[in-house]
Amino acid sequence: MNVSSDQNSAPLAQRVVQGGLWAAGSSYVTVVVGFTATVIMARLLSPKDFGTLAIANFIFGILNVRGKLTLGQAYIRQPESSGRALGTLLALELGISGVSFFFALIGAPFLHLLGYDADVAGVVIAMALINILNALAGIPAAMLDRNLRMGYNSAILAICFPLSYLPAIFLAAKGWQVWSLVVQLALQNILVTGGSFWLAYRELRQEFRLRWSFDRALAKEFLRFGVMQSFAVIAGFLATQFDNFLVGTFVGLATLGFYDRAYRFASVPDLLVSNIVARNAFLAYARLQNDRARLSKTLDMTIWIITALAFPLALVLFVIAPDLIEFLLGSQWLPSVVYLRF
């Protein structure tokens, strides 16, 4: 998987498009596997299990400081990689994920007082631990992305995602309920972390030979960028997750399970189009940040691609929603139809 010098010297547009194709292929594999796994897990678990995971995900999203700062993107924007930049990124990622874990430990006991099931608090703490693994995985992922090896991160996810579901399906069949879903998340992050470090070391060995160190001034720069980005991240999080909080808190976890599965189905057009385009577009934006004309053209093309491809897919889902839900998940999941169409 070594990249030749010809590939390294290829034009930016060509390298971004190549990375986009890798990301698209990986994303489609992930969507197909995730879709299939959702169908299997929905037949093994109850709506309440999915509702418990969804509300825990929202609560930890509120407590998760690291998830709002996008420090990997701050590193990618650096004009050159260095031991200082890598060491600073590692220290910040682990330190801030530790803060998030501390907040989860402090906040979890209060969830029962607010009326949530005991499982919700346990899942929130588990997610905080998984977040530390995710922080570790973010280091090699940022290194690969910065060097325009976008396809490698995509390939790792395409391999690890299906593998993580095998024990989860087995445990769901054995009655592990929501914890089978937690195991899937944990195993996925363990596999991705190991795979990302292996590939980054293989492809960018010279960067691992640098003397990694923490630089306070660079840390402030990363955090300034992260804080500025956090406003958009928080707005996006609330726009896509606050409804889960309302449904799970004021209606019930079972209803949230119906609602959450419908949302996952409705997100397929976004997963197939927007996420791929946006991820690769950011890498192009980072390289073109000082070239206003090319940056503007890239942004226009990105918006056009998302609109032209995602809207027809969403329209098809709206039309076939009742038949799709009953055929794939069974009649017990038909309450999800109205949410899917909405």
Side-chain angles (χ1 to χ4, degrees):
M1 297 181 69
N2 289 321
V3 179
S4 68
S5 58
D6 290 341
Q7 288 175 302
N8 285 328
S9 60
L12 174 63
Q14 179 182 335
R15 297 173 71 183
V16 170
V17 169
Q18 288 173 345
L21 292 174
W22 271 102
S26 167
S27 182
Y28 297 155
V29 169
T30 302
V31 168
V32 170
V33 171
F35 197 83
T36 304
T38 291
V39 171
I40 296 172
M41 296 293 274
R43 291 181 175 273
L44 294 172
L45 301 175
S46 70
K48 184 180 178 182
D49 294 325
F50 290 101
T52 299
L53 185 71
I55 196 67
N57 186 58
F58 173 82
I59 292 168
F60 180 65
I62 295 294
L63 301 173
N64 184 11
V65 180
R66 174 185 164 267
K68 302 176 181 67
L69 294 178
T70 62
L71 296 174
Q73 293 186 3
Y75 163 75
I76 290 171
R77 291 180 70 254
Q78 292 296 300
E80 62 180 21
S81 184
S82 66
R84 290 188 310 113
L86 289 167
T88 302
L89 177 63
L90 177 62
L92 288 176
E93 287 276 27
L94 291 180
I96 296 173
S97 63
V99 171
S100 300
F101 178 68
F102 175 76
F103 286 164
L105 282 179
I106 296 299
F110 294 97
L111 296 178
H112 183 66
L113 298 177
L114 294 174
Y116 293 107
D117 287 0
D119 279 345
V120 174
V123 175
V124 168
I125 294 174
M127 285 186 164
L129 287 170
I130 293 170
N131 186 54
I132 297 174
L133 280 172
N134 190 257
L136 278 173
I139 308 302
M143 294 168 66
L144 290 166
D145 275 352
R146 190 187 176 283
N147 287 275
L148 297 183
R149 267 79 157 184
M150 294 89 75
Y152 293 171
N153 283 326
S154 302
I156 292 167
L157 184 59
I159 294 170
C160 297
F161 188 67
L163 292 176
S164 68
Y165 264 107
L166 296 178
I169 291 171
F170 174 78
L171 293 174
K174 292 294 184 180
W176 277 47
Q177 300 179 320
V178 68
W179 293 102
S180 61
L181 298 171
V182 174
V183 167
Q184 185 274 320
L185 289 173
L187 185 56
Q188 177 184 323
N189 277 273
I190 290 170
L191 293 173
V192 168
T193 300
S196 296
F197 269 105
W198 177 76
L199 267 180
Y201 183 77
R202 175 188 171 114
E203 295 297 319
L204 306 169
R205 193 165 301 183
Q206 70 281 1
E207 296 196 14
F208 282 91
R209 291 172 177 165
L210 297 171
R211 184 176 179 275
W212 292 23
S213 60
F214 179 78
D215 185 286
R216 184 173 296 181
L218 196 56
K220 291 180 180 178
E221 180 183 333
F222 282 7
L223 290 172
R224 276 196 299 269
F225 175 84
V227 169
M228 293 301 297
Q229 291 287 98
S230 69
F231 295 106
V233 174
I234 293 170
F237 172 77
L238 292 176
T240 58
Q241 298 289 324
F242 189 65
D243 47 354
N244 282 355
F245 166 73
L246 295 176
V247 175
T249 302
F250 299 107
V251 183
L253 294 180
T255 302
L256 178 56
F258 291 122
Y259 186 87
D260 180 67
R261 289 305 89 189
Y263 179 83
R264 300 301 172 188
F265 275 73
S267 297
V268 169
D270 183 52
L271 293 172
L272 291 176
V273 180
S274 304
N275 286 354
I276 300 167
V277 175
R279 179 170 172 268
N280 289 278
F282 174 79
L283 300 175
Y285 298 158
R287 295 299 178 96
L288 299 174
Q289 57 186 305
N290 297 318
D291 187 338
R292 187 179 181 86
R294 293 174 68 195
L295 181 62
S296 177
K297 184 177 180 180
T298 302
L299 178 60
D300 290 342
M301 292 175 63
T302 300
I303 295 173
W304 180 85
I305 290 172
I306 291 174
T307 304
L309 296 181
F311 182 76
L313 293 173
L315 186 60
V316 169
L317 272 180
F318 181 88
V319 172
I320 68 172
D323 295 330
L324 182 69
I325 292 295
E326 185 168 14
F327 175 73
L328 293 176
L329 305 185
S331 58
Q332 72 272 20
W333 285 91
L334 282 175
S336 295
V337 171
V338 64
Y339 304 127
L340 175 54
R341 283 182 158 171
F342 174 74

